[in-house]
Amino acid sequence: MFTLTEEVLRVQRCYRTLLHVLSRPGTLARLDLPIERKNRLVSVPSPLLLACECLLDEKVTVSGLTGRGRLWAEEISRGMRVKLAEPEEADFVLSGVEASTSELLSLKRGSLLAPEEGATLFVYVEEGIKGDAGLLGFAGPGVRGRLSLRVSAAVLDWASRRGKLCFEYPMGFEAFLFDREGNVLGIPRACEIEVLKPRRG
Amino acid sequence: MGYVAVKGGEKAILNSEELLVAKTFGHESEPIEVHQILEQFALAVDRVMGEGGLYWPKLAAYALKQALGDSFEAAFLVRAFRSSVPRRGYTDPIDTRKMRVHRRISAAFKDVPGGQILGATPDYGLRFIRFDLFENLHQARIRAKKALENLARAGIPIPDSFPKIVDILREQGLLVSPPSAPRILTDITMETVSIPTSRSARLQFLARGETGGLLALAYSSMRGYGQIHPAIGELRVGDVPVYLEGKPLGWIRVTECEVISRMERGEDQDDPHFTMGYGLCFGQNELKAISMAVLDRTMQMDVCESPAQDQEFVLLHTDGIEAMGFCLHYKLPHYVTFQADLNQLRGVRRQKG
């Protein structure tokens, strides 16, 4: 009943990593992914599953954006006893990187009195976060001056859509981007992101 | 209240953390192993679990080691850990009638049904430091082991369960009836509690309250700031089974205290009867369970004439982690707020001069 298993320690390391990247926007970190997957929730990519195991429980709601996101959310809901909700009502939203601006706009952003009710978005980037498609600039709390990061085309497009969203602070949502290698990027609601060098063509 | 974000001095802060880590392992002695803390500082471990609000002895032992033995800091670490783990559900209510008793006493009745089980306690000894135990550790351990073996040979096995004193008093109509359990319990870890609050919330606050804080307020009531002179109907320390949706999870050690207090004439009862206060906390922490039971009783009073009867005063000032956090934040930079105070003071002096 009270054993400090590798699973517990891994979830703790994941928690620390998520906290780290959210307080340092523009900084990539690597999740410590399990070498062997449990034979459950097979459709959910490992980094997303680990983040869900870390932050989701039966007290929160989950939803999905994009076809894959909805599939993952349903599987997480079944396997982890997390209540399923519509995207505009969910505490946690799983999404493919192709989610549109209007879909992003539909997420819970909290209120001036209860900004903590804003959603947390998990975005899975199949092709990887890092890349040579362009340069993203990060500014805001947690960034000294401005920080830039070379990213893939998918992330650049997503960031460009996220950059257009305008919420009255402290309202908004937090986002984590994950890729298959376990890289994770945190984008808190107060973070300004800007496409510094767009890809050609 | 104004706060200033801590900025700068990053290198100094990192160095400070390194120094702290080095202290955790000691310089001139062997590092203390977690299993040693678990066994030989068991009461400290229990206290940290209770105040941290999480039953996990090994984790509490880790926290105590990391916190260099500071129970406040260790409880903070445990509660922070607790907030980072998923909630899998609510366990079924534990039944302390099924407790495997290690210790069970009543200060109300000498010949209590089932007998008094003193267990291991310093209650009846003199508070001398036993240098003889430490001057020759090896010999002392051998003597202690032999004594334990003799006790085990001569002793009578402890029954699986004991009758509860309060049940006997209730059967005789001498004790107030237990309140019916509410259909939905407040969960203070998930809900914002407003005062006055339900008894279930009050008991939860007390269960993870800081032992010293609870004692201070309970003692104020015992001394006269309030009118509770408790008699300990029963104090139990032992292990109880825990179930989740009917499935057994394991056993946890708890301390339970029922204090019998002043007579009252109830609204629906003509005959006067005793009233009761209840305390239950993780591990063995008798001081906390007794203080908790006293405060549970003081907060049931209709009148509020002393701090120990005031729910807000008791509940919001006995959470060690909140109180500690607020107290310690004053060590962090308040440069801007203090500059404002200085400017104001100088301004007033200028006007005066």
Side-chain angles (χ1 to χ4, degrees):
Chain A
M1 178 166 148
F2 304 113
T3 317
L4 207 51
T5 60
E6 183 51 33
E7 193 183 349
V8 172
L9 294 173
R10 177 172 289 110
V11 169
Q12 281 299 301
R13 285 194 289 271
C14 173
Y15 188 86
R16 193 73 186 85
T17 306
L18 295 180
L19 206 61
H20 178 86
V21 293
L22 202 62
S23 54
R24 292 167 180 78
T27 308
L28 269 180
R30 181 76 72 95
L31 293 175
D32 173 24
L33 298 175
I35 296 164
E36 283 182 33
R37 278 285 298 266
K38 288 179 195 167
N39 192 20
R40 65 180 194 126
L41 309 178
V42 284
S43 82
V44 186
S46 288
L48 277 189
L49 181 59
L50 182 59
C52 288
E53 285 173 337
C54 181
L55 295 183
L56 275 61
D57 62 18
E58 62 177 32
K59 288 287 178 182
V60 298
T61 52
V62 68
S63 187
L65 294 181
T66 72
R68 288 183 299 163
R70 280 188 285 277
L71 183 73
W72 298 330
E74 281 165 17
E75 202 165 352
I76 290 287
S77 170
R78 276 197 305 273
M80 293 175 55
R81 297 168 60 165
V82 183
K83 289 186 281 288
L84 208 55
E86 292 301 317
E88 55 272 22
E89 291 166 357
D91 301 312
F92 289 85
V93 179
L94 313 184
S95 170
V97 74
E98 65 274 18
S100 67
T101 309
S102 61
E103 282 178 310
L104 294 178
L105 261 174
S106 71
L107 302 185
K108 268 202 313 183
R109 62 189 75 171
S111 63
L112 290 175
L113 276 178
E116 73 279 7
E117 289 176 3
T120 301
L121 177 67
F122 291 168
V123 181
Y124 185 62
V125 189
E126 185 82 47
E127 67 177 281
I129 296 172
K130 290 187 277 190
D132 286 325
L135 205 58
L136 267 188
F138 296 82
V143 182
R144 190 171 289 164
R146 183 173 285 273
L147 205 63
S148 58
L149 183 71
R150 294 203 167 277
V151 294
S152 65
V155 172
L156 206 64
D157 290 344
W158 183 89
S160 143
R161 292 193 291 278
R162 155 64 173 77
K164 286 177 192 156
L165 305 181
C166 188
F167 301 121
E168 184 183 356
Y169 186 80
M171 294 188 290
F173 62 82
E174 271 69 51
F176 291 98
L177 274 64
F178 303 90
D179 66 19
R180 87 167 64 216
E181 289 178 343
N183 292 310
V184 55
L185 183 67
I187 303 176
R189 66 187 68 189
C191 176
E192 292 171 28
I193 47 177
E194 188 185 355
V195 179
L196 296 177
K197 280 189 188 168
R199 59 179 164 155
R200 291 187 207 108
Chain B
M1 180 61 61
Y3 297 91
V4 180
V6 183
K7 283 185 176 177
E10 191 177 341
K11 182 68 182 164
I13 291 169
L14 290 173
N15 289 344
S16 162
E17 286 181 357
E18 291 297 333
L19 280 173
L20 189 64
V21 170
K23 284 188 96 172
T24 314
F25 295 104
H27 296 297
E28 295 177 6
S29 58
E30 292 298 310
I32 300 171
E33 301 281 345
V34 168
H35 69 87
Q36 291 177 299
I37 296 173
L38 262 176
E39 195 182 13
Q40 295 172 47
F41 290 96
L43 299 187
V45 168
D46 288 349
R47 182 170 167 167
V48 168
M49 289 194 298
E51 294 168 15
L54 179 73
Y55 195 93
W56 194 345
K58 194 169 182 180
L59 191 86
Y62 273 116
L64 266 170
K65 183 171 166 60
Q66 185 180 322
L68 303 174
D70 181 340
S71 68
F72 280 84
E73 190 71 33
F76 198 156
L77 291 169
V78 167
R79 203 181 290 180
F81 175 89
R82 179 190 191 283
S83 71
S84 73
V85 291
R87 182 181 293 253
R88 299 292 183 220
Y90 291 95
T91 58
D92 304 339
I94 61 169
D95 183 358
T96 54
R97 286 176 179 78
K98 293 179 180 165
M99 184 187 288
R100 283 183 189 158
V101 163
H102 293 263
R103 177 162 155 73
R104 182 245 194 179
I105 56 160
S106 171
F109 302 102
K110 184 179 178 222
D111 295 319
V112 58
Q116 310 242 15
I117 310 290
L118 300 190
T121 177
D123 282 354
Y124 313 101
L126 297 172
R127 257 67 177 200
F128 287 134
I129 294 181
R130 294 279 305 271
F131 293 106
D132 57 310
L133 297 182
F134 310 110
E135 281 165 352
N136 190 333
L137 207 56
H138 181 67
Q139 285 296 326
R141 282 191 79 178
I142 290 172
R143 273 203 307 274
K145 193 177 170 208
K146 272 188 185 164
L148 189 63
E149 285 167 359
N150 290 338
L151 283 172
R153 265 197 299 275
I156 304 162
I158 297 176
D160 286 341
S161 64
F162 288 85
K164 296 205 76 165
I165 306 301
V166 291
D167 288 344
I168 297 166
L169 288 173
R170 280 203 179 106
E171 279 165 18
Q172 295 173 15
L174 299 173
L175 186 68
V176 66
S177 308
S180 51
R183 263 178 9 95
I184 299 171
L185 295 174
T186 311
D187 181 347
I188 64 163
T189 66
M190 301 299 293
E191 298 167 41
T192 306
V193 172
S194 56
I195 305 286
T197 187
S198 65
R199 186 160 179 247
S200 75
R202 298 200 304 262
L203 289 171
Q204 287 169 62
F205 269 108
L206 295 173
R208 62 178 202 174
E210 196 271 323
T211 308
L214 297 178
L215 172 65
L217 287 176
Y219 182 48
S220 75
S221 174
M222 296 171 202
R223 280 196 67 242
Y225 292 91
Q227 295 173 15
I228 304 297
H229 184 85
I232 293 180
E234 191 167 353
L235 177 76
R236 290 178 170 208
V237 181
D239 301 334
V240 286
V242 180
Y243 297 88
L244 180 65
E245 296 168 359
K247 292 177 191 157
L249 288 181
W251 295 73
I252 63 169
R253 183 156 301 172
V254 295
T255 304
E256 182 187 49
C257 180
E258 284 151 335
V259 296
I260 298 164
S261 183
R262 50 186 280 166
M263 283 188 285
E264 266 186 11
R265 193 182 291 272
E267 286 173 9
D268 54 346
Q269 289 175 277
D270 289 334
D271 294 330
H273 50 266
F274 285 124
T275 55
M276 203 187 101
Y278 185 75
L280 180 83
C281 59
F282 283 156
Q284 181 170 8
N285 192 340
E286 297 173 18
L287 200 56
K288 178 169 175 172
I290 297 168
S291 301
M292 185 178 167
V294 169
L295 291 172
D296 172 46
R297 179 63 191 92
T298 60
M299 286 189 286
Q300 292 173 34
M301 306 280 277
D302 293 329
V303 291
C304 182
E305 295 168 339
S306 64
Q309 293 166 346
D310 184 328
Q311 286 191 24
E312 184 176 349
F313 200 95
V314 173
L315 303 179
L316 301 191
H317 296 119
T318 51
D319 188 300
I321 291 160
E322 282 204 23
M324 165 203 172
F326 207 89
C327 181
L328 295 187
H329 102 273
Y330 286 112
K331 293 195 291 186
L332 300 177
H334 284 62
Y335 307 139
V336 173
T337 43
F338 190 67
Q339 279 303 317
D341 288 345
L342 273 178
N343 288 344
Q344 197 178 8
L345 179 68
R346 285 175 181 140
V348 170
R349 283 193 168 187
R350 268 196 304 275
Q351 277 180 359
K352 205 177 167 190

